[in-house]
Structure formats: structure tokens, C-alpha cells
Amino acid sequence: IAKEVAKLLEMKAQLGGDETKHKFVLKTPKGTRDYSPKQMAIRERVFDTIIACFKRHGAEVIDTPVFELKETLTGKYGEDSKLIYDLKDQGGELLSLRYDLTVPFARYLAMNKITNIKRYHIAKVYRRDNPAMTRGRYREFYQCDFDIAGQFDPMIPDAECLKIVHEILSDLQLGDFLIKVNDRRILDGMFAVCGVPDSKFRTICSSVDKLDKMPWEEVRSEMVGEKGLSPEAADHIGEYVQLHGGLDLVERLLQDPRLSQNKLAKEGLGDLKLLFEYLALFGIAGEISFDLSLARGLDYYTGVIFEAVLLQPENDHVEEPVGVGSVAGGGRYDGLVGMFDPKGRKVPCVGVSIGIERIFSILEQRVEASQEKIRTTETQVLVASAQKKLLEERLKLVSELWDAGIKAEVLYKKNPKLLNQLQYCEDTGIPLVAIVGEQELKDGVIKLRDVATREEVNIRRETLVEEIRMRTSRP
Amino acid sequence: IAKEVAKLLEMKAQLGGDETKHKFVLKTPKGTRDYSPKQMAIRERVFDTIIACFKRHGAEVIDTPVFELKETLTGKYGEDSKLIYDLKDQGGELLSLRYDLTVPFARYLAMNKITNIKRYHIAKVYRRDNPAMTRGRYREFYQCDFDIAGQFDPMIPDAECLKIVHEILSDLQLGDFLIKVNDRRILDGMFAVCGVPDSKFRTICSSVDKLDKMPWEEVRSEMVGEKGLSPEAADHIGEYVQLHGGLDLVERLLQDPRLSQNKLAKEGLGDLKLLFEYLALFGIAGEISFDLSLARGLDYYTGVIFEAVLLQPENDHVEEPVGVGSVAGGGRYDGLVGMFDPKGRKVPCVGVSIGIERIFSILEQRVEASQEKIRTTETQVLVASAQKKLLEERLKLVSELWDAGIKAEVLYKKNPKLLNQLQYCEDTGIPLVAIVGEQELKDGVIKLRDVATREEVNIRRETLVEEIRMRTSRP
């Protein structure tokens, strides 16, 4: 019966679809958006900067499907698993849209028995979260991931990941930023010495993770009220999570009577010390803050974790508070590949993900505010005519230019007015116009017009390509 | 009760997931694949060629979400609608993965009231088809679309689309190819004059579409047997669909006593005549074949349609028949945007889609066969050391190089052997090694080694960046 009902409902839906043919809801799905040519131009600038950095650090690139077997994603994201998009069961395998690029990367490594790779991956991921699109939070959004997999000497790849975050945020000229680091082992050690029962580590960690959005008092009451932690344990945690500093804090905590007795915390602190030494060699130690309130939501981290936030300039009129929010994050996940390997063989990994939607939003607003005119095409020359009946000559010339590798356009009108053709160049930023005319054709020349200066010169047809190249090559 | 059962099943599934943690099926979903760094390198070459062509023709670029409201896709694809991937109903909107880039483009135009645009869009689309992955047929695959929307004088944008196909297939150096053209109006006129009832136009058109894979006899028996067409009508169609030629055939059919009396067919033939004139101006009329058997499956075409096939070189050892299959296709769809507009306002469109998976397959096989070594990174220099205890100096130098924009790597080992460092360069194609040593540090120089020639020279540290740039700039 259920089957029959489903069939009938489907038929009804289909009929409904036909009847209301012209009553479509004209929108993109909730939490998603189109990119217009102008937005794409900004997006490509950002991508170019990020990819240049990844390549500067010798990364290869891979790609994986947009969906994975559902079971591939199961048990990797803790409380966030409810945000995964599933595909409808249409017969065959059960599939889900990828939630990040890290789990597909780990699946890729295990599947291909790769124990050693430095790769980047730029692609869209999907989360059924509550969108806040003005602040750059979408259900479909890009991640730009850089990861180093392999058994190496401690903290060298980790330091490079932080260097990469620093380079990208500097190159993008987004203003001041702060990179926070912590370590899952320090968090777990801290929970242990504060008296949190083992079984509550992950859920208390989730509470700590909210400290960037909620004041300590609220987080504390969640720990005690909802999660049943003792008030004493919560207060102990409260003391630690307010700490932040640099190498000095690492060294102070290595002397902390409680923390220094916890094996995990000691390991984490030792590694952080080494990390700060390497960061000093990279010249960026001053911009990295060891912050015990940094927790990161995802289950799979095992060591160093980090997150970058943009700092709001003081004289900005935006209503948001000082931390505009995370624009990059990552960490070490030494156990994830092993979860996929039939024999549980581990491949240590560390990586960083640049969350670029927020960066787009900022740059878009900046372009809007500055009224900077952004070109959305690269056309070098418009092939035009002043008289009628020259369509064929225009088509012949534009074809010659295309074949010579010149970026050229022609209006799709038989007899366009010269004024309209010039206006098109103004509107779209085309710098040159090649004008064909009866007399010029007879003389074997083309009139080349500079749109900005309005200067016109006759150029012999056989040297036109060279002239256009010369005039439009970047200085 | 149903709810409870569902809950229990979900719980069971989750528990099952935990129990079988190490029994994952390690694979990508059916019909999909990962791209390795080497495959990505080939893919990027292809994309670069295609994008260069689209930009040469003045196209802007847009992007749309990977899924659309389900109703956006309803009623656009005829018999192929069953191949659409739906998302699971997790509350909220009903969604489907995009099936092509054309329908999202039309939705984008209607939604933003755009009546005039030339854009390209490169993205993955999804079809629950039977995959044939060795022949480049996947369930997740890239389309590279170029479309011109707007009210223009006839056949000028259509001719440009064919020029673009010709340029791309030439630039990719895939060997000989053939571009077939036809027109939906000629097909419909042909059906009418052959005595096909109006109601059977679309389904008979689908049968004709199979002529590239099936002999006429089989297609005929499908028309007569399965689709109930009269044998006489089928035989009439049989005479027409064997015809192919150039402008001469167009002119012959304009004189055809039956076709010339059909209004639609006459319009289509008139436009094709104009198209061939423009193609002659573009210098490509000789490589375009007017082929009455070309039908194209999709419902939304209204005018000119076209398809490009690669021709197998005679002395190739591959088992497949002469036509390797379609690598590009497209046509005019003047009604699609109107289906989305609340007032049914039409925006005429014509476009082409490059199906690049098959092109990847061919190029991959070619690289395999030629044993060409493809670099998967762009690293210019490896920072190495011959002695131990120089990790810090290596990190300092590599950081200097990164900051100067040099693509540089360092092995993540405290004390790597020089031999291993040189081997790494050989394996990955890094052309230069910057070797730090105790003596060189004292002298303020770095030893720069050319991997290919094994020559080593000392370079003053302050001129190292310049020297590396000079040596690795492309001639």
C-alpha cells in the first residue's frame, strides 16, 4: 500500500508540475547562491592568490566526487553529522554529499595506499546548517584545503601549514588577523586534570568550542546544567581557557603543577614549544597566539589545531564585534586514514582549510564601497564598422583575429550603429576598436581606435595583430 | 509506528556503522572517480585550452549551485528525466542535482531578468546513467558550456558557437573530427511531410537520435514495432536521414517538392543556408556536415542543433568503430528561459557544451602510451643540506624563498641524506637544489645545483632569488 501511495503521490506531483508550469518558484535552494560574472571575477582573484601559495609550497592537486558512500562519512563528524546532506535512495548505493574535503582525502589515501603526499583541493562542500548569507555562511560553500600526509619529524609540516595561512591572509590584504593554536592533547590533558570524566571529553570540548561566540558564563552553565559537569571541574576549566600567549605561556604551562603531570598535555606542550621555534624561523611567531579556549568542533583532530580570525579595524562602521570570525582552520589528524584502512594502518596528516566565502563577502563589500570597476571579460578589441552592409567583412576580420589568438568580439547585428559599438566598448572595458570601412578595405588598412583617448590610426591589415598585441600587453 | 520503526532502523544503522568500523567498502560511488595529481595535470591543460578559447570570444563566467529545486528540472529533459539524482527529503525544499548546465543557466537568466549575455560555465553535472568508464562515460562528469543569450540577427551567434567547437577541437590536437549540424525545424518538417502524427514527433525524434549507435534497420523496426509508426512513414524518413552534405544539400532540399512546402522545414533550411555562408567566412564550412540523421535527445532545442565527433585514425589499434563518439554538442533553445519567466517572456539562446571526459580519456591514454613524464608540481628549487643539524638553516632559507615568491620545498626531516634529497628532485622534476652547508653559511653563499647537469656553483645569498628566477623562467 505504501508503495502505491508513493506512486500516486509522485504522479500527483508530476501532474501538479505540468499544471503550474508558469508558477515556478524562481530561486536557488536555501543557503545557496549563483555567482554573477562580477562575483566570479572577484572569486577568481582570490583563488589565484590561494593556488599560487599552495603551488609555491610544492603541492600537487587532486579531485574527488561531490558525493561519497554514506558510510564513508559516518562517525567522522561527531555532533555535526546531522548536517550531512543525503541523496535519495533511488536504488543502488546510499550516498551523501561531502561535508568537508578532509574525509574524502583520507578515503583517497587509504584506497590508493598512499603514505606520502602534499596536495591541495579546492571544491564545494555541503552542510545543512542555518545559513547566514550576509555573513558568508552558506549551505554550499568552497573549501580550499592544503594537507601534508606522511611520517615526518615532528612539527615541520605543522609549521608550514601555519606559514601558508599567514602567507594567504597577507597576500589577500584583508587587514589584521590573528592565528590561534592549541593542541587536542593539551585540551584532553586539561580536562583530565580538571576532573572531567573520560566519557565527557568530547561533549565538554564542544562546549569549549563555543567560547568564540558565547561568554564564559553561558558556556559554564551549559557544561554544568546540560552536560552534568561538576561546578568545580567547570571552574578549573574556566581558569585555563582564559589563558593565551606565545612561547612564554607554553613554557609556563610546562611548569604548571597539574598539567605537567599529565602525559598527554606534556606531549602537546612539548610539540607546541617546537612549533613556536619553527614559526620564529619563518618570521611569524609574533602573529600566532597559543589559546587554550580554541577547541575546533570536528572529532578527527589528534594534535595541533589552529584557526585564523580577521580583526576588525577600529574605525569600521560594521556592526559586528571585533572578531569577524574564522577564515581558516585546521590541525593534525593522525587517526583518520587508519579508520579507512582495512588493517588500520595509520598515515599521520596535518592540514589547513581556507574558508573563502567570508573572504569573498569582505572583498565584494570592499569593491562595492570603492566603486572600483571590475572587468568581467578580457576582450582586447571589438571589430566594428561605420557603414552598413559590412557584416561579412566584420566576420572575416574577427575570425582572422581569433585564429591569431586575439581576444575579439563583434556585435551580432547586421548593421549596428557605430555609436552603439563604441558604447559597448565603454560598458565592458574593451580598450580597442578595429573599424572596417569601404575605403579602408580598398586601401588594405583597418582603422584602429583607442577607446580611452579616442585616437584613430590606420594600420595595414597584415600588421594589425601585432599592433593589437603590442597595445594590449601588460606593461 | 512508521516513525518509530524508522527511528529504530536508523539507530540500528548507526550501531552497525560502529561495529563494522574497519569493514568499510573503500571505493568511490558507482560511475564516479577520483582524479590523481597526474590526471589533474592533464585535466588542467584541457581546461586551460578551453577557457582560453571562451575568453578569446569575449565570454563572461558564472557559477550556479550543484543542486536546484526539483521543480526547476521537471519537464525539461523528456525521457531522460529518470536519470536525475534527487536529494533525500530531510525537511525543507525538495532538491535535485543538476543534470546539465543549460537549465540552471536559463533559470539564472529568468531569475535575474537578464536578456543579453555571453557566458561560459565549467562544472560537474550528474546523471544516473549506466556508466562506461573506460569510454569516458561517468555519472559525475564535467561540462564546459558556452552560450549566447539575446535577441540578435539570425545565425551570427550560432555560427560563432560552431567556430568555437572547431577552435577547441583543433587546439586540443585530438586528430580529425567532424561537426554535424541539423535543425529541429527541419526534423519536424520532415516528420510532417513523411506522415508522422504530431503526437509522435518527439518519440520518433528519439529513435532517429539512436542512428549514431544503431543501424537504420533497427531504428526502423523500433519506429514501426514499438512506436506504432506506419511502415510507409518510416521508409520516407529512412530516405531523408541518409542524406548528408554541405551547402549543396541545403540548396537541394530547398527545392525538394515535399520539404519545401513545409513552413518549418523551409525556415530551418533558410537559416542553415545563412549559417553555411557565415561558416565559409570563418573558414570552416568544409568541416561542417549537414546531417539529417542528427536529432539530439534533449527536449528543449528549437532550431539549429549540432554535434562534434572525433574520427578514428585508420591505423589505430583500438577496437571501437570509426566514430569515437560525441565530444561536443549544442543547439538553439529559444523557449527554455520563457518556461521560467512568470510572464513567459522569451530570451533566445544558443550554446555549445564540450564533453570533456572523453577528451580526458583520450589524452590520458596518449600520455600513457608515449610515456611522457608529466610534472605534478611546479617547484623550482629544493632547499637541501649536505651535513646534519642544518634543519633550522634550511627552514630559514626556504622561508626567505617563499617570501620572495619562489616555489620551494624542503624535506620534512631533521637530518635527511643528500642523496635522498637529490633523488626527490629527480622523482618530482625539481630543476634546482639550493644546498646550505657550514662553510657556505660562513661565506654568505649558497651552493646552487642544476639537477640535470649536476653542475654546482656558489651564489651570494642576496642574489640567490634572482638567479633562481633567471634559471627557471620559461624561454
Side-chain angles (χ1 to χ4, degrees):
Chain A
I1 290 171
K3 251 190 185 172
E4 287 301 310
V5 169
K7 255 190 199 167
L8 285 169
L9 282 173
E10 199 172 339
M11 277 173 66
K12 198 186 149 195
Q14 279 178 354
L15 287 170
D18 283 337
E19 277 164 22
T20 58
K21 217 171 201 171
H22 285 279
K23 284 183 201 163
F24 280 113
V25 186
L26 257 182
K27 67 187 283 295
T28 62
K30 185 178 176 189
T32 69
R33 61 166 162 176
D34 297 316
Y35 282 84
S36 69
K38 203 170 148 189
Q39 290 168 320
M40 286 297 281
I42 298 170
R43 189 173 113 177
E44 290 197 346
R45 278 192 207 172
V46 177
F47 280 155
D48 288 349
T49 303
I50 292 173
I51 291 171
C53 177
F54 291 161
K55 287 190 172 175
R56 198 157 60 234
H57 287 261
E60 304 182 281
V61 56
I62 69 160
D63 193 19
T64 65
V66 82
F67 43 62
E68 294 278 345
L69 297 185
K70 185 175 163 62
E71 59 172 1
T72 298
L73 307 190
T74 304
K76 309 298 185 305
Y77 301 105
E79 291 180 6
D80 289 343
S81 296
K82 62 182 184 296
L83 303 180
I84 294 173
Y85 276 98
D86 292 327
L87 268 74
K88 190 168 151 187
D89 182 0
Q90 292 169 290
E93 300 159 337
L94 290 180
L95 307 174
S96 301
L97 297 187
R98 60 184 164 210
Y99 182 84
D100 64 9
L101 303 178
T102 310
V103 168
F105 175 55
R107 191 265 308 145
Y108 174 80
L109 294 185
M111 189 173 135
N112 297 288
K113 299 192 171 54
I114 296 167
T115 55
N116 202 321
I117 191 172
K118 176 163 57 179
R119 79 88 181 84
Y120 72 92
H121 188 188
I122 296 185
K124 289 174 176 174
V125 302
Y126 298 88
R127 300 186 185 177
R128 294 181 56 254
D129 215 336
N130 274 328
M133 315 212 327
T134 50
R135 284 185 289 145
R137 200 165 75 204
Y138 292 87
R139 289 183 157 196
E140 172 185 63
F141 59 98
Y142 266 98
Q143 285 196 334
C144 303
D145 280 24
F146 172 97
D147 293 81
I148 300 170
Q151 188 69 58
F152 301 117
D153 282 326
M155 292 299 113
I156 314 177
D158 313 61
E160 186 171 5
C161 287
L162 290 168
K163 171 77 172 138
I164 281 176
V165 174
H166 193 276
E167 285 180 20
I168 288 174
L169 295 181
S170 305
D171 291 349
L172 288 173
Q173 299 179 290
L174 295 166
D176 289 340
F177 57 86
L178 181 71
I179 303 175
K180 302 178 195 171
V181 299
N182 197 1
D183 192 296
R184 270 285 162 89
R185 291 164 299 175
I186 299 176
L187 279 166
D188 285 354
M190 175 181 89
F191 294 144
V193 303
C194 291
V196 179
D198 282 17
S199 62
K200 291 202 160 79
F201 274 19
R202 284 280 76 79
T203 185
I204 294 301
C205 192
S206 290
S207 298
V208 171
D209 191 37
K210 294 174 185 163
L211 274 171
D212 55 343
K213 288 166 211 133
M214 274 156 63
W216 165 248
E217 279 314 313
E218 276 179 52
V219 171
R220 184 185 180 279
S221 82
E222 178 182 299
M223 286 177 176
V224 177
E226 285 174 40
K227 303 195 167 170
L229 191 66
S230 75
E232 298 74 33
D235 290 334
H236 281 315
I237 293 173
E239 285 166 37
Y240 281 116
V241 295
Q242 282 166 39
L243 301 174
H244 51 91
L247 187 54
D248 53 325
L249 178 60
V250 178
E251 278 168 345
R252 214 174 83 210
L253 289 180
L254 274 169
Q255 309 301 326
D256 182 274
R258 282 182 299 178
L259 267 189
S260 62
Q261 278 170 23
N262 180 283
K263 192 173 160 281
L264 275 177
K266 223 177 142 185
E267 268 179 38
L269 287 164
D271 274 352
L272 272 198
K273 194 176 165 201
L274 195 56
L275 180 69
F276 269 99
E277 284 168 24
Y278 295 154
L279 296 176
L281 294 169
F282 290 162
I284 58 169
E287 274 133 303
I288 316 280
S289 165
F290 170 34
D291 188 327
L292 279 105
S293 74
L294 177 68
R296 306 265 318 143
L298 301 175
D299 262 14
Y300 48 64
Y301 290 119
T302 55
V304 169
I305 49 178
F306 45 87
E307 197 166 287
V309 291
L310 296 183
L311 302 175
Q312 198 79 24
E314 275 175 45
N315 55 353
D316 208 347
H317 301 271
V318 185
E319 291 153 38
E320 280 184 83
V322 173
V324 188
S326 162
V327 289
R332 178 160 282 286
Y333 49 101
D334 289 346
L336 191 56
V337 178
M339 287 175 79
F340 290 107
D341 189 276
K343 291 181 185 163
R345 278 169 298 212
K346 288 188 177 181
V347 178
C349 295
V350 63
V352 57
S353 182
I354 313 290
I356 53 168
E357 304 300 334
R358 213 178 289 249
I359 295 173
F360 287 153
S361 298
I362 293 166
L363 293 179
E364 247 187 278
Q365 283 166 25
R366 197 180 287 177
V367 167
E368 244 14 273
S370 74
Q371 298 188 296
E372 179 194 351
K373 218 177 167 187
I374 290 192
R375 276 200 76 180
T376 54
T377 68
E378 298 176 12
T379 309
Q380 297 163 292
V381 60
L382 181 77
V383 174
S385 62
Q387 297 119 325
K388 290 191 173 184
K389 295 201 182 167
L390 285 169
L391 171 63
E392 302 200 344
E393 290 298 337
R394 281 193 289 132
L395 293 182
K396 242 164 92 175
L397 179 58
V398 78
S399 178
E400 276 175 41
L401 295 176
W402 289 330
D403 292 344
I406 299 291
K407 293 168 191 153
E409 287 186 69
V410 69
L411 293 198
Y412 305 121
K413 294 273 169 196
K414 266 185 160 167
N415 297 308
K417 290 184 181 137
L418 185 59
L419 204 66
N420 291 345
Q421 296 174 87
L422 296 179
Q423 189 59 47
Y424 182 77
C425 294
E426 298 275 1
D427 293 345
T428 61
I430 300 175
L432 296 172
V433 195
I435 306 172
V436 290
E438 299 285 2
Q439 190 56 47
E440 287 85 355
L441 285 170
K442 276 182 203 145
D443 299 344
V445 298
I446 301 288
K447 188 172 279 170
L448 195 62
R449 179 187 170 109
D450 184 303
V451 176
T453 65
R454 300 181 186 190
E455 274 178 289
E456 294 183 348
V457 276
N458 282 341
I459 307 279
R460 292 216 59 77
R461 187 155 182 153
E462 53 274 24
T463 60
L464 180 66
V465 166
E466 207 186 324
E467 179 73 21
I468 294 171
R469 265 197 211 123
M470 211 189 63
R471 294 218 199 176
T472 52
S473 69
R474 303 265 160 72
Chain B
I1 290 172
K3 252 190 182 170
E4 287 300 311
V5 169
K7 258 193 199 167
L8 285 170
L9 281 173
E10 202 172 337
M11 279 174 62
K12 197 185 149 196
Q14 280 178 355
L15 287 171
D18 283 336
E19 277 166 21
T20 58
K21 217 170 198 172
H22 284 281
K23 284 182 198 163
F24 280 111
V25 185
L26 256 183
K27 67 187 283 295
T28 62
K30 185 180 175 187
T32 70
R33 61 167 163 176
D34 298 317
Y35 282 84
S36 70
K38 203 169 147 190
Q39 290 169 321
M40 286 298 280
I42 298 170
R43 191 174 109 175
E44 290 197 345
R45 278 193 207 173
V46 176
F47 280 155
D48 288 349
T49 303
I50 292 172
I51 291 171
C53 177
F54 291 161
K55 288 192 170 172
R56 197 157 60 233
H57 287 260
E60 304 182 280
V61 57
I62 70 161
D63 194 19
T64 66
V66 81
F67 42 62
E68 294 279 344
L69 298 185
K70 185 176 163 61
E71 58 173 1
T72 299
L73 307 191
T74 304
K76 307 298 185 305
Y77 301 106
E79 292 180 5
D80 289 343
S81 295
K82 61 183 186 296
L83 303 180
I84 294 173
Y85 276 98
D86 291 328
L87 268 74
K88 190 169 152 185
D89 182 1
Q90 292 169 290
E93 301 160 335
L94 290 180
L95 307 174
S96 301
L97 298 186
R98 62 183 164 212
Y99 182 83
D100 63 11
L101 303 177
T102 310
V103 168
F105 174 55
R107 191 264 308 145
Y108 174 81
L109 295 186
M111 190 173 135
N112 297 288
K113 300 193 173 50
I114 296 167
T115 55
N116 202 321
I117 191 172
K118 176 162 59 180
R119 79 89 183 81
Y120 72 91
H121 187 187
I122 296 185
K124 288 174 177 175
V125 301
Y126 299 87
R127 301 187 183 175
R128 295 180 55 254
D129 216 336
N130 275 326
M133 315 215 323
T134 50
R135 283 184 290 145
R137 200 164 73 204
Y138 293 87
R139 289 182 158 198
E140 172 185 64
F141 59 98
Y142 266 99
Q143 285 196 332
C144 303
D145 280 23
F146 172 96
D147 293 80
I148 301 170
Q151 188 69 56
F152 299 117
D153 282 325
M155 294 297 113
I156 314 178
D158 313 61
E160 186 170 4
C161 287
L162 289 168
K163 171 78 173 135
I164 281 176
V165 174
H166 192 275
E167 284 179 21
I168 289 174
L169 295 181
S170 304
D171 291 349
L172 288 172
Q173 299 181 290
L174 295 167
D176 289 339
F177 56 85
L178 181 72
I179 303 176
K180 302 178 195 173
V181 300
N182 196 3
D183 193 296
R184 270 284 161 90
R185 291 164 298 173
I186 299 175
L187 280 167
D188 285 355
M190 175 180 89
F191 294 145
V193 303
C194 291
V196 179
D198 281 17
S199 62
K200 290 203 160 84
F201 274 17
R202 285 280 76 79
T203 183
I204 294 301
C205 192
S206 290
S207 297
V208 170
D209 191 39
K210 294 175 185 163
L211 274 173
D212 54 342
K213 289 168 212 132
M214 273 156 61
W216 164 248
E217 279 315 311
E218 276 178 52
V219 171
R220 184 184 182 280
S221 81
E222 180 182 298
M223 287 177 175
V224 177
E226 285 173 41
K227 303 195 168 170
L229 190 67
S230 75
E232 297 74 34
D235 289 335
H236 281 314
I237 293 173
E239 284 167 36
Y240 282 116
V241 295
Q242 282 165 37
L243 301 174
H244 51 90
L247 186 54
D248 53 326
L249 179 60
V250 178
E251 279 168 344
R252 215 174 83 208
L253 289 180
L254 274 169
Q255 309 303 326
D256 182 274
R258 283 181 298 179
L259 268 188
S260 61
Q261 280 171 23
N262 181 282
K263 192 173 160 284
L264 276 177
K266 223 176 141 187
E267 268 179 40
L269 287 165
D271 275 351
L272 273 198
K273 193 176 163 202
L274 195 56
L275 180 69
F276 268 99
E277 284 168 23
Y278 295 155
L279 295 176
L281 293 168
F282 289 164
I284 57 168
E287 274 134 303
I288 317 280
S289 166
F290 170 32
D291 189 326
L292 279 107
S293 74
L294 177 68
R296 307 266 316 145
L298 301 175
D299 262 16
Y300 48 64
Y301 289 119
T302 55
V304 168
I305 48 177
F306 45 86
E307 198 167 285
V309 291
L310 297 182
L311 303 175
Q312 198 79 24
E314 274 176 45
N315 55 352
D316 208 347
H317 302 273
V318 186
E319 289 153 39
E320 279 184 83
V322 172
V324 187
S326 162
V327 288
R332 179 161 281 284
Y333 48 101
D334 289 346
L336 191 57
V337 178
M339 289 175 77
F340 290 107
D341 189 276
K343 292 181 184 163
R345 277 169 299 212
K346 288 188 176 181
V347 177
C349 295
V350 62
V352 57
S353 182
I354 312 289
I356 53 168
E357 304 299 334
R358 214 178 288 251
I359 295 172
F360 288 153
S361 298
I362 293 166
L363 292 180
E364 248 187 277
Q365 283 166 23
R366 199 181 285 177
V367 166
E368 245 12 274
S370 75
Q371 297 187 299
E372 180 194 350
K373 218 177 165 187
I374 291 192
R375 277 199 76 180
T376 55
T377 69
E378 298 177 9
T379 310
Q380 297 164 292
V381 59
L382 181 77
V383 173
S385 62
Q387 297 119 326
K388 288 192 175 183
K389 293 197 182 169
L390 286 168
L391 172 63
E392 301 200 344
E393 291 298 337
R394 281 191 291 134
L395 293 183
K396 242 163 94 175
L397 180 57
V398 77
S399 179
E400 276 175 41
L401 295 176
W402 289 331
D403 292 343
I406 299 290
K407 294 168 191 152
E409 288 184 68
V410 69
L411 293 199
Y412 305 120
K413 294 272 168 195
K414 268 185 159 169
N415 297 308
K417 290 184 181 138
L418 185 59
L419 204 65
N420 290 345
Q421 296 174 90
L422 297 179
Q423 188 61 45
Y424 183 77
C425 294
E426 297 274 0
D427 294 344
T428 62
I430 300 175
L432 296 171
V433 195
I435 306 172
V436 289
E438 299 285 5
Q439 190 55 48
E440 287 85 356
L441 284 169
K442 277 183 203 147
D443 299 346
V445 297
I446 301 289
K447 188 173 279 171
L448 194 61
R449 179 187 169 109
D450 185 303
V451 176
T453 65
R454 300 182 183 188
E455 274 177 292
E456 294 183 348
V457 276
N458 282 341
I459 308 280
R460 293 215 59 77
R461 188 157 180 151
E462 52 274 24
T463 60
L464 180 66
V465 165
E466 206 185 325
E467 178 74 20
I468 294 170
R469 267 198 209 123
M470 209 191 61
R471 292 215 198 181
T472 53
S473 69
R474 303 264 161 74

